[in-house]
Structure formats: structure tokens, C-alpha cells
């Protein structure tokens, strides 16, 4: 547990010669944010353009300089929480004095601003496609714990690289892989599953400023039709129809089977589309004192009079001047993987099976080092069976009040 009253920030600039300066005492309006559907962290501040022992700040801070934001909790945590290169450099002269406004973006910003033409032949893996983009743009790579689905033929013409990357990750999810994010940290870019943070922060009414919950069926998809190649007259035959929560009415999406895609693969992708967009959206906005170590994609736990459950951070804005933050959250509902991606797992258990959980630890993610909590024994349903190599490969949800298991568990913990 951290003491939010002891949170402190510092800001360090590295000039063109590699010298570093702590400029926290000279700046205000310090903040940074990670937004949905964007790859890069954006940070900004306003500096008093005062004269220092090294000269005026506007002479030290120049376009292209590296800016690092660090935070400490006064105890064991002292970490870099954001970094970026100065992209917008705006000195301002007034009668009352001089100031300098700067806006900064991290290494992934070049992918948001660059277009390219790329061709991925059928069978290209997600990892190969993503790492090829990183290599071509000379982006230092960190750990890769992301998907490696086999994609159909993909052709991108004059497309932004960030859009290509997000579409590749989305296509991998449709093929049964875990939803992942791309994140730059300390100069390296990693691909990791959502919710892989080891520390899960809990937000309650008494330690937050406000909770605003939204439950919506506005974008609900309840039916997906799989159609084939058009004939000479332009007509497409319906090859499969998958239904979801049709009690809310028919809200149909069309999935067009690719020329090199089997019907089974197309049906699997359509089912993933239905699984992903065929659920009622549960979202929440939380305003609270700043926890500068939380990032987009992290898992948090919300406890209020209305909910007590896990949520993923979709976007987050940190305001260091007033020590506050705003998070947009998405309900962390387990997603059922398609059976086509589970051939390497034990065949005696499948998604949907009701098993007897022996009791013990359930984890917030399937990866090594995930935070664990004690869970009571009892009946539970298998909602996800993960691929081989995961530390906690099974996701269980209790089916009665006897057990409270709701998370990832190990092999041998149920029968």
C-alpha cells in the first residue's frame, strides 16, 4: 500500500550534449496522458524561462530534447512514469515575464505520424509483423508477451503504422488470442497482455473523488453473418449465421470470408467478433488522487456501493499540479477463447465445463508473477482455457455461493 500524501514528482531534461537537469522547481501545469486507440504517451508542462547557472531554460530545453518524469511514494517506489521527446517548443514573452510551453511524446509517436505500404502474406504471425515494423522504424524492443496468431493475407496502402498495429492486434483477438497492448517504457517498446501489472490498486469511495458508472447496449452486436465471395452478379451467399443476445433485437454485423480463409476459420473469427462486441458494455470513470504508477492497460479493482470488480484502464490522465488523475475503465469480463486455439491443452476439460474447484489461489492474470488472492472451494465453470506455457492456464467463475473463485488458476486445482 502506498501513502498518496507522500507522492512527489521530478522532471529531468537531457540536453543535446547528454547533460541532465532536474527542472521540477521551474515548471507548472505538469501532466501526462495515455488515450484509447493511441500508442504514445503525451506529456506537457509550462516552464518559467528563468536564467539558471547553465543559461535560460529555453536554451537548455530545445526541440528533440528528452524529458523524463519520475515519481516517488516516499518509500520503496521511485520510478520513471513517463518520458517523451519535445515535439512542440513554444517560448512566450509577456510584460510579466517569460515562459516556455512544451509538449512531448515517447518513441511510439513516430508510428502514429508515419504512413507506409506493407504486404503481409497469408500465414504471417502477429509477432513477426509487429517486430518487423519496430525494426524498420528503429524502435528499441523490450519483452514480447503478445499474440502470435496466423493472419490471412493483409495489404495496407498509405496507412498509418499505428492503425496497422492496432488492426493486427484486433485480428489476433478475433482468432482467439489474448487482448494485448503496446507500451513504451524507459525507452523500450513491449507488447503485453492487458492486466499484466503485478500490483493491482484498489479504489473505494473513501479514497476516491468520484465514480461514474455506465451500462450500455447502444453498440451491442447480436448476430454475425458469414458471407462468401461475390458471384458474377455481385451477390454473396450466406455461409453461416451466429446468434448472440438476440433478446435485445437483431443488430447484425457481416463478416466476409477471405479467399484464402477456410469456413471454420471464418466462423471462429465471427464468433470472436460476437464474443467481443456481443456483450453489454460496462464502463466507469474514476477521479481520484494521483497514483502516478498506473498506466493504460493496467488492471484495477473498484469497490463502491454499486460494484466490486476488476476493470481495465482504457485511458488515463495524470495531473501532477493538483495530484489527481482521471481513469476511463472497461469491465474486465473474461473472454471465451475459441476451441480452435486450444488443441495443446488437456482434452478432458473444455470451456463451459462445470468443475469442482479444490480451493486455494486465484490470480488476476495467467502470467507468472500475477497477484493472487485466496478463493474458497466449490463448483465453478471454466470460461477460458489458455494456451500452453501459461503459469495459471485456466479461468474459473464460481457457479454458486459456496465458492468465490473468479480468476486464473493452476493445473490440478480442480476436477
Amino acid at each position: 500500500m502506498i501513502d498518496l500524501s507522500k507522492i512527489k514528482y521530478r522532471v529531468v531534461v537531457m540536453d543535446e550534449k547528454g547533460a541532465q537537469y532536474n527542472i521540477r522547481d521551474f515548471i507548472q501545469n505538469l501532466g501526462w496522458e495515455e488515450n484509447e486507440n493511441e500508442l504514445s504517451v503525451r506529456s506537457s508542462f509550462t516552464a518559467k524561462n528563468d536564467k539558471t547557472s547553465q543559461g535560460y531554460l529555453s536554451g537548455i530545453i530545445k526541440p528533440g530534447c528528452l524529458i523524463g518524469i519520475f515519481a516517488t511514494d516516499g518509500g520503496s517506489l521511485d520510478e520513471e512514469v513517463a518520458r517523451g521527446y519535445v515535439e512542440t517548443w513554444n517560448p512566450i514573452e509577456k510584460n510579466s515575464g517569460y515562459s516556455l510551453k512544451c509538449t512531448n511524446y515517447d518513441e511510439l509517436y513516430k508510428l502514429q505520424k508515419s504512413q507506409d505500404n506493407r504486404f503481409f502474406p497469408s500465414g504471417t504471425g502477429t509477432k513477426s509483423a509487429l517486430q518487423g515494423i519496430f525494426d524498420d522504424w528503429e524502435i528499441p524492443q523490450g519483452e514480447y508477451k503478445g499474440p502470435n496468431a496466423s493472419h490471412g493475407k493483409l495489404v495496407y496502402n498509405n496507412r498509418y503504422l499505428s492503425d496497422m498495429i492496432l488492426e493486427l492486434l484486433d485480428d489476433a483477438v478475433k482468432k482467439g488470442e489474448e487482448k494485448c497492448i503496446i507500451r513504451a517504457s524507459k525507452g523500450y517498446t513491449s507488447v503485453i497482455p492487458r492486466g499484466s501489472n503485478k500490483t493491482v490498486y484498489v479504489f473505494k469511495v473513501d479514497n476516491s473523488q468520484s465514480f461514474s458508472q455506465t451500462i450500455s447496449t447502444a453498440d451491442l452486436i447480436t448476430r454475425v453473418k458469414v458471407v462468401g465471395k461475390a458471384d458474377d452478379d455481385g451477390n454473396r451467399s450466406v455461409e453461416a449465421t451466429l446468434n448472440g443476445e438476440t433478446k435485445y433485437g437483431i443488430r447484425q454485423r457481416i463478416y466476409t470470408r477471405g479467399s484464402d480463409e477456410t469456413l471454420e476459420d471464418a466462423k471462429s473469427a465471427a464468433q470472436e467478433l460476437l464474443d467481443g462486441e456481443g456483450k453489454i458494455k460496462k464502463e466507469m470513470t474514476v477521479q481520484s488522487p494521483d497514483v502516478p504508477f498506473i498506466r493504460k492497460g493496467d488492471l484495477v479493482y473498484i469497490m463502491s456501493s454499486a460494484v466490486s470488480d476488476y476493470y481495465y484502464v482504457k485511458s488515463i490522465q495524470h495531473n501532477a499540479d493538483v495530484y489527481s488523475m482521471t481513469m476511463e475503465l472497461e469491465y474486465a469480463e473474461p473472454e471465451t477463447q475459441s476451441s480452435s486455439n486450444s488443441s495443446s491443452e488437456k482434452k478432458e476439460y473444455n470451456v463451459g465445463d462445470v468443475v469442482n474447484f479444490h480451493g486455494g489461489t486465484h490470480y488476476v492474470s495467467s502470467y507468472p508473477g500475477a497477484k493472487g488472492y485466496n478463493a474458497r472451494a466449490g463448483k465453478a465453470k471454466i470460461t477460458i482455457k489458455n494456451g500452453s506455457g501459461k503459469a495459471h492456464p485456466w479461468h474459473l467463475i464460481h457457479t454458486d455461493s459456496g465458492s468465490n473463485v473468479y480468476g486464473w488458476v493452476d493445473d490440478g486445482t480442480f476436477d
Side-chain angles (χ1 to χ4, degrees):
M1 180 179 294
I2 64 173
D3 185 346
L4 296 181
S5 67
K6 295 182 179 179
I7 294 291
K8 300 293 181 185
Y9 311 93
R10 70 181 187 277
V11 180
V12 176
V13 58
M14 180 183 291
D15 68 15
E16 54 193 4
K17 297 180 180 179
Q20 298 185 25
Y21 308 94
N22 185 349
I23 60 171
R24 181 66 182 99
D25 292 339
F26 295 90
I27 65 174
Q28 58 186 0
N29 302 326
L30 173 65
W32 67 101
E33 60 189 54
E34 296 179 83
N35 295 313
E36 188 177 10
N37 297 323
E38 293 182 1
L39 302 184
S40 179
V41 175
R42 175 186 181 273
S43 60
S44 60
F45 59 83
T46 301
K48 295 179 290 184
N49 195 15
D50 291 347
K51 188 174 183 179
T52 70
S53 59
Q54 303 299 320
Y56 286 98
L57 276 183
S58 59
I60 298 173
I61 306 173
K62 297 180 179 179
C65 281
L66 178 60
I67 304 294
I69 303 173
F70 298 81
T72 178
D73 67 348
S76 60
L77 283 175
D78 188 355
E79 297 181 3
E80 177 185 311
V81 294
R83 69 163 57 186
Y85 297 89
V86 177
E87 294 284 347
T88 302
W89 183 82
N90 177 210
I92 300 171
E93 296 185 27
K94 295 182 178 180
N95 292 335
S96 57
Y98 304 95
S99 62
L100 174 66
K101 292 184 178 180
C102 291
T103 303
N104 327 291
Y105 295 89
D106 66 22
E107 292 82 358
L108 294 175
Y109 187 61
K110 62 181 73 173
L111 301 180
Q112 291 179 197
K113 304 301 290 185
S114 299
Q115 291 181 325
D116 198 15
N117 298 322
R118 297 186 84 89
F119 170 76
F120 299 109
S122 179
T124 301
T126 316
K127 183 177 181 179
S128 174
L130 294 181
Q131 292 186 334
I133 294 174
F134 298 152
D135 286 341
D136 289 347
W137 259 256
E138 299 181 347
I139 295 178
Q141 297 178 43
E143 61 181 350
Y144 190 98
K145 292 184 177 180
N148 200 20
S150 178
H151 299 274
K153 181 178 69 175
L154 297 171
V155 180
Y156 295 103
N157 293 317
N158 305 331
R159 296 289 304 279
Y160 284 100
L161 289 165
S162 57
D163 292 340
M164 294 185 202
I165 289 170
L166 293 175
E167 287 184 18
L168 282 163
L169 291 175
D170 183 62
D171 190 48
V173 171
K174 292 175 181 176
K175 290 176 167 55
E177 298 280 352
E178 227 173 337
K179 190 165 185 177
C180 293
I181 60 170
I182 292 180
R183 171 187 292 178
S185 178
K186 300 179 182 178
Y188 292 90
T189 294
S190 298
V191 183
I192 57 175
R194 291 187 307 174
S196 36
N197 48 302
K198 294 182 179 180
T199 300
V200 177
Y201 291 98
V202 178
F203 294 87
K204 305 177 182 179
V205 174
D206 59 359
N207 68 2
S208 301
Q209 295 159 349
S210 70
F211 293 152
S212 175
Q213 184 183 19
T214 301
I215 298 177
S216 174
T217 62
D219 298 320
L220 186 69
I221 302 300
T222 65
R223 174 177 290 170
V224 179
K225 279 188 177 180
V226 179
V227 300
K229 185 179 179 181
D231 60 22
D232 293 340
D233 296 324
N235 296 317
R236 296 181 183 272
S237 61
V238 177
E239 299 182 333
T241 301
L242 290 77
N243 288 318
E245 297 285 350
T246 54
K247 64 183 179 181
Y248 294 103
I250 303 301
R251 306 179 188 186
Q252 185 169 283
R253 184 71 60 85
I254 300 297
Y255 183 89
T256 302
R257 180 166 68 92
S259 59
D260 57 351
E261 187 177 23
T262 67
L263 179 57
E264 286 305 309
D265 285 343
K267 288 170 66 176
S268 176
Q271 184 61 54
E272 291 295 334
L273 180 62
L274 194 61
D275 291 342
E277 300 187 43
K279 298 173 182 175
I280 297 173
K281 284 190 176 179
K282 300 178 182 178
E283 300 177 327
M284 182 170 287
T285 301
V286 174
Q287 292 181 316
S288 78
D290 190 29
V291 183
F293 313 104
I294 295 179
R295 298 200 58 179
K296 183 176 74 172
D298 283 356
L299 194 69
V300 297
Y301 196 84
I302 303 299
M303 296 182 66
S304 72
S305 58
V307 299
S308 291
D309 226 322
Y310 292 103
Y311 284 77
Y312 294 116
V313 179
K314 291 201 306 177
S315 66
I316 185 167
Q317 297 82 41
H318 300 270
N319 187 328
D321 274 19
V322 294
Y323 291 82
S324 71
M325 68 178 182
T326 300
M327 297 185 293
E328 299 292 336
L329 307 177
E330 176 185 0
Y331 177 53
E333 183 173 1
E335 298 178 4
T336 303
Q337 292 186 339
S338 63
S339 58
S340 62
N341 291 285
S342 55
S343 58
S344 62
E345 300 195 43
K346 295 181 181 179
K347 296 181 179 178
E348 59 267 36
Y349 298 114
N350 288 292
V351 171
D353 288 351
V354 176
V355 297
N356 180 40
F357 176 61
H358 299 162
T361 304
H362 60 169
Y363 299 87
V364 300
S365 84
S366 61
Y367 281 86
K371 186 73 173 180
Y373 301 89
N374 188 54
R376 299 188 301 271
K379 296 294 183 182
K381 179 181 287 188
I382 298 174
T383 58
I384 303 176
K385 59 177 190 177
N386 228 3
S388 61
K390 308 299 185 187
H392 320 294
W394 304 90
H395 194 280
L396 303 184
I397 298 179
H398 61 89
T399 59
D400 57 36
S401 58
S403 175
N404 64 338
V405 62
Y406 196 124
W408 297 90
V409 302
D410 297 338
D411 281 322
T413 59
F414 58 85
D415 56 29

